[in-house]
Structures are given as C-alpha cells and as structure tokens.
Amino acid sequence: MRSSRGLPGATILLLCSAMLGGCQQPPAPAATADAAPAKTVEAEEIHWFHGSVEDAFAQARETGQPLFVYWGASWCPPCNQLSSTVFNRPDFIAQTRQYIAVHVDGDAPDAQRWAEHFGAMGYPTLIVFDAQGNELTRLSSGMELERYAQVLDSARHGRGMAALVEQGFADPAGLTADEWSRLAWYAWGVDQDRVLEPERRLALFARLRESVEAPSPLLRRRLELVWWLERDFQGQLDMLDTAEQRDGRSLLLEVLSHAADWRASLTDLEYGALPLIEALSEPGSIERDLLLQALYKAMDQAWEDPALGPKERILTVRVLIHGHRLEHGDAPLPAALADEVRRRVKQILAAAKTPHERQALVYYAAWYLHEIGDDETALATLEAELKTAIAPYYYMSYLAEIEQARGNADAALKWSGRAFATASGSATRLQWGMAHLHALLELSPDDRTAIEGVLRELQRIAAESPGSLYQRTRVRLERLNTPLLHWAQADAQRSQWLRDWRARWLQVCPALDAKSAAAKTCQNFLAAL
C-alpha cells in the first residue's frame, strides 16, 4: 500500500483552497526570527494596489509594468506563513516595487470568478504576469525564503511560460539560466494544468532532465526529481523495473546528500520523498534503509537550521511520523520518537509569537500530536488558540475532526457547527457550511432540523453573494451532490423538502456567467431529484 502524500480528508478540504478576491491590503506582516531580513527598504511593507483586478491589469497595459498577484485567505496557514517569513523580507519587498502588486482576498466579491479565470484552486496562489497579461511564472509556498525575491527579479523581463515550454520541447539549448530555473521551480501542481496537461508535463520534464544543456548540476537534479515526483503524482510508480528503481535511488541519494539540493526542494521532499522511497525499494532491504537514513539525516539538518522557515522545519515532524509508518505500519511510535515529535512541536510553538506566525503553525503542531495518539494535548493546543487566533473557526474544524476520529460524534458536530456559525466572508462561510453539512449527513442524518437549517443558510449566502459560487465553492458543491441524494432517497419527506429547496436554489444560478463551470454545476446540482 502506498503511503499518503498529503493531509487527511477535512485537512485537504480546508487547507488546500484557492480563490481570488478584492484588492485589499493584508495586515502588516510581523518579523520572525526565521526570516531575519538584514536590510531595510524605503518602506517596511509591500505597496499593494488599491483597486479592482481589472484596474490592475489595465494599469499594467498602460505603464508596461508586470503584475504580481497574490491570492490568499486570512485563515490559510501557508498564507500566514508567507506573511510572516516572505512578505516582510526587504529583498522581496524591494522586488515588488518593480511590479503592480495585487492582493486578492478569497472572500472579496468576484474572487472565485477570478480564481476560475486564473486557474487558481488552492490558497495561497502567487502568479507573475507581464504587462499584456501573459503568465510568467507561479510560485510555490514551499520554496527557500531567498528564492522568492530571486524569482521576481528574473521573471519580470523574461518570456512567458508558454514560450519557455515551447522552447524546452524544441531546443533546450535556447533557454537561459534564469529560464531553466523558472521551469524547475514553477508551481506545476497549482495551475490546474493551464500551461501543460499531465502527460505533456512528464514529456517536458523527461526532455529537460536528459538535456546536457542544464546550466548546473543542481538544476539537472532538481528537474530529475520533479520528473520522479510527477510520475508518483500520476500513479506511474507501481510497476518499475530494477533498472528504473536503481536510477531513482541514485538520484534521491544524490539529492539528499547535497544540502543545496535538499534545501532547494525541501517541502517537495517532506511530502514526496517517502512515497518515492516506497516505490524505489523493497521493505526491509538495505536499499530502503540507506534511503531512509539519508532522508532522516537531511531532515535533522533542516530541523536544526534556523535560516529555514518554521513551516519547513515543523514539516520534518511529518517525515518522522510517516517514515515510521512506512517501516512499521500502524505500530505505535517508540516512546523516544514520540517524545522527539513533542519536543519539536513545543519548540516551534514557543517561537511563534505573532498572530500570523501562530495561524501558520498551530494547525500542523496539533495535527502531528493527534497523529502520534496524543489527542488530549492536540485538543488542548487547538482550544487554547481560540481566544487569540486570526480565524478561530479554522481550528474548530480540526477539533471536530479529531473528536470524530475518537468516536465522539456529538462533540464533533458541536465544533463543526460552531465553526460554521463563526466563519466570516461569503466564500469561507459557504465552504465551512458545506463541511458542517457533510458532518451532519454522516454523523446525524436523522436530524432534519439541523440539516435543513444549514441548507437554508447556504441558499441565503449564495443568493446574497452568487460570485462566491465559482471555483473552490463550485467543487465543494459538486461533492455534496451524492451524499444529499442518498439522504433524500431514504425518506419521502426529505426528498420533497429537498426538491422544494432546489427550486429556491435554482433562482441563484442566473446570476452566474452562463458559460462558466459554476453555472453548469449550479443548474445540475441535485438534478436527479
């Protein structure tokens, strides 16, 4: 069985979200010891554009300036991590002076429609455009801190990604060193296949990894690692022959043995190295042991490196937990390993002082405590954060998930309901409401009063803010279709009530762009009734 790449169900639902909203300045990010900028610039924060997204693109066309678009949400941990470690760096702030910097909040009017236009699904999404609106690159939220400024510096005078892809297929020798770098660190996983469909991505990575023109060994190894990670993402590692396994092991060991390499791909390795190790080696083999020891050594070095961001450091805990599972299945962690997890979690939380830092890290800390079976401490950690958190409802969602995992349905529904009741912003309210509805349908399907109440509230929010029904919300609406139909089919009264509710819901649909996926989903929602 393959080990999990990502986070569990509700975690994916809430953490991996993306939308664009109105251009409003986020709270000024606070400095953190892990970021440690050394110089000052003319101002201590990014000069965000004041106006609509349309206005920003119009100004870009008039002035010839490129655009830096940041799409985020107040509750999103990686967004808060960027605020506390990247957006306060003088080198990054200085580079944004060359751009029209646009902050798009996911709950602003039309945010989800813009997300659909840009192909943005998860928070945060960072996109660089030229003055004509051609995409120059997308940035991951897991890069080395210094690389963000470097990417902005190199991208603003460069060719668009579509041109780089064409050049890479035709003749990699025609790529500059900066263009090689942009291809290597483009956030391929968050563009909804706008630049390349999956099969073509693999072909491009294969073409580049085999090219002798790669300007450095680090870039060559990075592109080869991206090729392997993409193969895993597409489920192509189940039937590797001996030679392929040997080549993959060689590459992974080489990356893990060079600090510059594993630092440059740290977040990718923290999520993707263990699935690769599982595919490239046999259980109990010397090869697997060598790979795991190399991975653990790199993760220990990352943990001890204060120059790295706190998110990257706390993700080393994930490797400890999931590495043990790869070797020992569901066996409990040894006491010494569990104590090491607690020590790292405690240290990271003690260093997180500002609201942005804590919103970025508390979730990870609590979830890892839950994963090692320390539910009481995990719950206490989350509950203690509710009084001061930027977005308390975010933590309530995980209180609900942990209680559900413990078999406490009433407590799970209490927290899920509180999360929905206290969430703010139309898109966020719809998202948390749909999550609560899922919980009710699973844990308390006979509570018609509660289920119908949530459905009425969702319809009210959608009627007031139909622009919130695009992109992320649209996807979540599609996921509700099957469980709601199952719920209705069990009882004639439920079925009739849901038909009446759908008639009111359909009144929202004409407000959507008739050609959009959101309009189609809105019209088809519960069409089987």
Side-chain angles (χ1 to χ4, degrees):
M1 179 179 294
R2 303 297 303 276
S3 55
S4 172
R5 288 180 59 93
L7 299 167
T11 308
I12 294 172
L13 179 66
L14 297 179
L15 183 59
C16 302
S17 300
M19 323 218 145
L20 289 162
C23 304
Q24 50 193 3
Q25 185 168 336
T32 174
D34 287 311
K39 300 179 182 179
T40 59
V41 291
E42 57 193 89
E44 295 180 352
E45 59 183 24
I46 298 169
H47 292 164
W48 297 103
F49 179 81
H50 293 282
S52 68
V53 178
E54 292 95 334
D55 290 342
F57 276 88
Q59 181 169 314
R61 290 191 296 271
E62 292 174 6
T63 63
Q65 281 182 284
L67 297 98
F68 166 64
V69 176
Y70 160 56
W71 186 49
S74 62
W75 52 264
C76 152
C79 303
N80 283 276
Q81 181 256 340
L82 287 173
S83 292
S84 60
T85 61
V86 176
F87 291 173
N88 62 346
R89 289 178 61 94
D91 58 348
F92 185 81
I93 294 170
Q95 286 301 325
T96 64
R97 298 287 190 265
Q98 311 301 318
Y99 289 81
I100 298 172
V102 183
H103 173 229
V104 190
D105 180 82
D107 279 306
D110 248 6
Q112 303 308 314
R113 184 178 65 83
W114 275 109
E116 193 164 296
H117 176 74
F118 290 142
M121 182 61 72
Y123 297 122
T125 294
L126 303 91
I127 315 176
V128 179
F129 296 96
D130 67 16
Q132 288 72 46
N134 300 306
E135 183 170 328
L136 296 173
T137 195
R138 294 194 184 209
L139 290 73
S140 164
S141 65
M143 297 194 302
E144 292 175 279
L145 299 181
E146 60 270 22
R147 191 175 297 279
Y148 290 90
Q150 295 168 4
V151 171
L152 290 192
D153 184 36
S154 66
R156 71 177 186 271
H157 298 303
R159 294 184 283 179
M161 280 301 297
L164 297 196
V165 167
E166 183 179 346
Q167 183 71 59
F169 275 120
D171 181 14
L175 295 166
T176 68
D178 282 341
E179 290 172 340
W180 276 93
S181 183
R182 272 201 284 149
L183 286 167
W185 277 281
Y186 180 79
W188 296 99
V190 298
D191 74 343
Q192 293 195 289
D193 306 331
R194 290 299 178 94
V195 174
L196 279 176
E197 294 183 355
E199 296 79 8
R200 294 271 290 163
R201 281 204 303 270
L202 270 180
L204 177 65
F205 300 155
R207 177 84 168 93
L208 295 175
R209 68 185 276 270
E210 295 166 357
S211 175
V212 297
E213 288 86 7
S216 72
L218 185 148
L219 270 171
R220 178 189 60 77
R221 290 192 289 266
R222 166 66 186 177
L223 285 162
E224 189 164 0
L225 177 63
V226 169
W227 179 74
W228 278 102
L229 292 170
E230 182 67 24
R231 292 183 72 188
D232 179 44
F233 180 75
Q234 296 189 30
Q236 296 189 11
L237 297 185
D238 292 329
M239 298 295 292
L240 298 177
D241 62 33
T242 302
E244 288 177 309
Q245 286 184 316
R246 183 176 61 249
D247 290 346
R249 290 195 300 268
S250 177
L251 178 276
L252 193 53
L253 285 171
E254 196 170 8
V255 167
L256 293 171
S257 67
H258 290 82
D261 286 59
W262 60 252
R263 281 176 59 94
S265 300
L266 183 55
T267 302
D268 292 320
L269 290 167
E270 286 169 328
Y271 281 106
L274 287 169
L276 284 182
I277 289 173
E278 184 176 12
L280 296 171
S281 60
E282 299 301 322
S285 66
I286 294 175
E287 291 82 4
R288 177 165 294 188
D289 185 61
L290 288 172
L291 288 168
L292 287 171
Q293 293 311 310
L295 176 62
Y296 295 147
K297 180 179 179 181
M299 293 300 106
D300 285 344
Q301 291 174 344
W303 168 252
E304 298 294 341
D305 188 348
L308 293 172
K311 173 190 169 186
E312 287 69 32
R313 295 179 65 210
I314 200 171
L315 282 175
T316 63
V317 174
R318 182 186 189 280
V319 176
L320 297 181
I321 296 170
H322 289 255
H324 181 268
R325 289 180 182 171
L326 178 60
E327 293 185 88
H328 305 288
D330 293 329
L333 266 67
L337 184 54
D339 287 344
E340 178 63 13
V341 169
R342 293 187 185 93
R343 183 183 75 83
R344 295 190 186 188
V345 163
K346 184 177 180 179
Q347 185 173 327
I348 284 287
L349 290 184
K353 305 295 186 183
T354 71
H356 288 296
E357 290 170 336
R358 297 195 69 79
Q359 190 74 24
L361 298 169
V362 168
Y363 154 72
Y364 295 101
W367 193 259
Y368 295 145
L369 291 170
H370 166 62
E371 286 204 293
I372 66 171
D374 194 350
D375 284 346
E376 295 301 330
T377 306
L379 291 168
T381 299
L382 291 168
E383 288 197 56
E385 208 67 21
L386 297 180
K387 295 179 181 179
T388 58
I390 290 174
Y393 52 86
Y394 184 81
Y395 298 121
M396 293 175 190
S397 300
Y398 294 104
L399 285 162
E401 187 166 349
I402 292 172
E403 291 289 14
Q404 182 173 348
R406 302 173 82 199
N408 297 335
D410 289 344
L413 289 173
K414 179 197 77 170
W415 285 118
S416 179
R418 282 187 62 185
F420 177 36
T422 58
S424 59
S426 56
T428 295
R429 291 266 298 146
L430 286 169
Q431 181 176 333
W432 260 258
M434 291 176 187
H436 182 46
L437 184 56
H438 271 287
L440 284 167
L441 292 171
E442 179 178 353
L443 300 177
S444 189
D446 293 329
D447 190 348
R448 277 190 59 190
T449 300
I451 290 170
E452 292 171 5
V454 173
L455 284 166
R456 280 192 292 267
E457 181 65 5
L458 291 176
Q459 193 274 334
R460 185 192 67 79
I461 298 169
E464 290 182 356
S465 304
S468 298
L469 288 174
Y470 292 85
Q471 201 63 343
R472 280 177 63 87
T473 312
R474 173 186 62 79
V475 171
R476 281 151 181 75
L477 189 64
E478 290 175 342
R479 292 174 183 167
L480 269 175
N481 198 70
T482 298
L484 270 176
L485 287 175
H486 286 166
W487 176 78
Q489 290 165 0
D491 182 277
Q493 288 184 320
R494 296 179 189 176
S495 183
Q496 183 59 54
W497 189 91
L498 202 56
R499 279 195 294 270
D500 294 341
W501 178 85
R502 181 175 183 266
R504 296 190 297 274
W505 175 265
L506 288 174
Q507 297 172 18
V508 177
C509 302
L512 304 175
D513 179 352
K515 297 181 180 180
S516 68
K520 182 178 179 181
T521 296
C522 190
Q523 290 286 347
N524 291 342
F525 184 50
L526 299 178
L529 285 170

